[in-house]
């Protein structure tokens, strides 16, 4: 009996030791990625914020000022810009490094030699990319306040919902990036941007509310296959104030959470499978 107890304790100790080692290695890799991004923070900001800021300036400031867009359009546009920025930044934060790491030089092997399961290497990339997406999305708010001036209108009574949707959006983009980065070859990066990013941008309800597409039913249905739609609509529900006492019609929050959650689970499972297929010989 004593020997069985001693064996159980030894097994528990070894399991805790392996967990501690894997956790330490995981955090070391994550800190390394954070440190590298910190050193290149200005370049990171220019890379991810230049396009959305120009969109905000032209569509949210210039067009309303010259009468080509209605007053209040900036408030409707801003959530879409934030959602698109979070998704694309998180997606790129996984896709581009993975495409390079899995290329001819096989730089991913350095991470695979760390004392942690292979799947945790993929998880670390997802978490780090989601952090990048959240940082980029958060920085949009003060910059939008500066660019839009009086056109900047964000409600302050749904901050918890806003943060939750941004977190789900970041992980949706990161898991999509995990799958894309493990299926795209280095020579196909240019084609990837054309075939993936263009539809994401223009069918994700970034510049228009989903409910206004009722007159183009086929296109309204098509947008539901784009995760950016759920991000944009969820952020609109938690950001856009009432106009003349009426709330902006958006997708129900239940559908928003379901759409983002399904995206995260589906692409994470697919991404981990393709990641293992690429790295395990």
């Amino acid at each position: 009996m004593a020997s069985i107890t001693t064996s159980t304790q030894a097994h528990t100790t070894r399991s805790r030791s392996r967990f501690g080692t894997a956790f330490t290695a995981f955090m070391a890799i994550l800190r390394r990625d954070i440190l590298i991004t910190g050193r290149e923070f200005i370049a990171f900001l220019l890379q991810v914020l230049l396009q959305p800021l120009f969109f905000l300036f032209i569509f949210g400031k210039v067009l309303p000022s010259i009468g080509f867009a209605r007053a209040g359009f900036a408030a409707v546009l801003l959530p879409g810009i934030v959602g698109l920025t979070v998704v694309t930044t998180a997606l790129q934060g996984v896709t581009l490094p993975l495409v390079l790491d899995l290329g001819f030089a096989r730089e991913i092997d350095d991470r695979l030699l760390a004392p942690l399961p292979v799947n945790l290497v993929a998880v670390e990339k997802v978490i780090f990319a989601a952090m990048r997406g959240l940082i980029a999305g958060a920085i949009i708010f003060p910059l939008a306040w500066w660019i839009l001036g009086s056109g900047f209108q964000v409600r302050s009574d749904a901050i918890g919902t806003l943060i939750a949707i941004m977190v789900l959006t970041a992980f949706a983009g990161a898991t999509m990036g995990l799958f894309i980065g493990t299926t795209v070859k280095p020579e196909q990066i240019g084609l990837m941007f054309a075939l993936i990013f263009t539809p994401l941008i223009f069918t994700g309800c970034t510049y228009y509310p989903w409910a206004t597409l009722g007159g183009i039913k086929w296109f309204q249905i098509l947008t539901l296959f784009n995760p950016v739609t759920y991000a944009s609509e969820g952020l609109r529900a938690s950001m856009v104030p009432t106009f003349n006492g009426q709330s902006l019609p958006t997708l129900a929050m239940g559908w928003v959470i379901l759409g983002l959650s399904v995206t995260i689970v589906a692409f994470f499972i697919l991404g981990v499978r393709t990641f293992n297929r690429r790295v395990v010989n």
Side-chain angles (χ1 to χ4, degrees):
M1 187 68 176
S3 62
I4 295 176
T5 302
T6 303
S7 176
T8 302
Q9 291 175 345
H11 176 73
T12 303
T13 302
R14 286 195 297 270
S15 298
R16 290 177 178 174
S17 177
R18 286 196 294 269
F19 174 79
T21 301
F23 180 76
T24 301
F26 180 89
M27 294 305 297
I29 294 175
L30 184 59
R31 282 195 299 268
R32 176 192 175 191
D33 285 339
I34 294 173
L35 180 63
I36 292 174
T37 299
R39 291 174 177 173
E40 303 172 349
F41 193 65
I42 300 301
F44 161 70
L45 292 181
L46 291 175
Q47 176 187 357
V48 302
L49 295 179
L50 197 60
Q51 185 181 46
L53 292 183
F54 269 101
F55 278 137
L56 274 177
F57 177 69
I58 297 299
F59 292 101
K61 184 70 174 180
V62 175
L63 293 186
S65 297
I66 61 178
F68 278 86
R70 293 182 180 179
F73 177 65
V76 177
L77 174 68
L78 179 58
I81 295 296
V82 173
L84 180 65
T85 301
V86 174
V87 169
T88 56
T89 302
L91 192 152
Q92 290 177 348
V94 181
T95 301
L96 297 180
L98 264 180
V99 169
L100 297 176
D101 289 349
L102 295 172
F104 179 78
R106 291 285 299 186
E107 295 181 12
I108 193 70
D109 291 341
D110 292 342
R111 296 171 183 263
L112 297 176
L113 293 174
L116 74 166
V118 171
N119 287 348
L120 285 184
V121 177
V123 170
E124 186 276 334
K125 285 190 169 292
V126 168
I127 292 176
F128 175 66
M131 292 170 60
R132 286 169 58 101
L134 286 172
I135 291 171
I139 294 176
I140 288 286
F141 287 93
L143 293 178
W145 173 81
W146 174 60
I147 291 173
L148 299 178
S150 60
F152 180 82
Q153 301 179 53
V154 177
R155 55 190 290 193
S156 58
D157 60 339
I159 299 299
T161 304
L162 171 61
I163 294 174
I165 296 300
M166 287 186 66
V167 170
L168 287 175
T169 299
F171 276 99
T175 51
M176 290 167 60
L178 177 65
F179 175 68
I180 295 170
T182 51
T183 54
V184 173
K185 298 178 181 179
E187 60 272 17
Q188 297 174 331
I189 291 181
L191 181 63
M192 177 198 72
F193 279 98
L195 296 182
I196 295 176
F197 280 92
T198 302
L200 276 179
I201 292 172
F202 293 104
T203 65
C205 293
T206 303
Y207 312 106
Y208 43 83
W210 184 81
T212 60
L213 299 176
I216 320 175
K217 202 65 180 179
W218 67 269
F219 186 68
Q220 188 180 46
I221 295 173
L222 178 66
T223 61
L224 293 176
F225 293 94
N226 187 343
V228 179
T229 295
Y230 300 97
S232 299
E233 288 292 287
L235 291 172
R236 281 195 183 97
S238 57
M239 288 174 60
V240 179
T242 58
F243 291 98
N244 299 322
Q246 294 184 343
S247 299
L248 182 73
T250 61
L251 273 175
M253 191 58 68
W255 289 112
V256 169
I257 294 174
L258 178 63
L260 292 175
S261 299
V262 168
T263 300
I264 293 170
V265 173
F267 279 101
F268 181 73
I269 293 173
L270 291 172
V272 167
R273 288 181 179 177
T274 53
F275 181 80
N276 276 280
R277 194 178 302 138
R278 292 287 303 273
V279 303
V280 178
N281 295 322

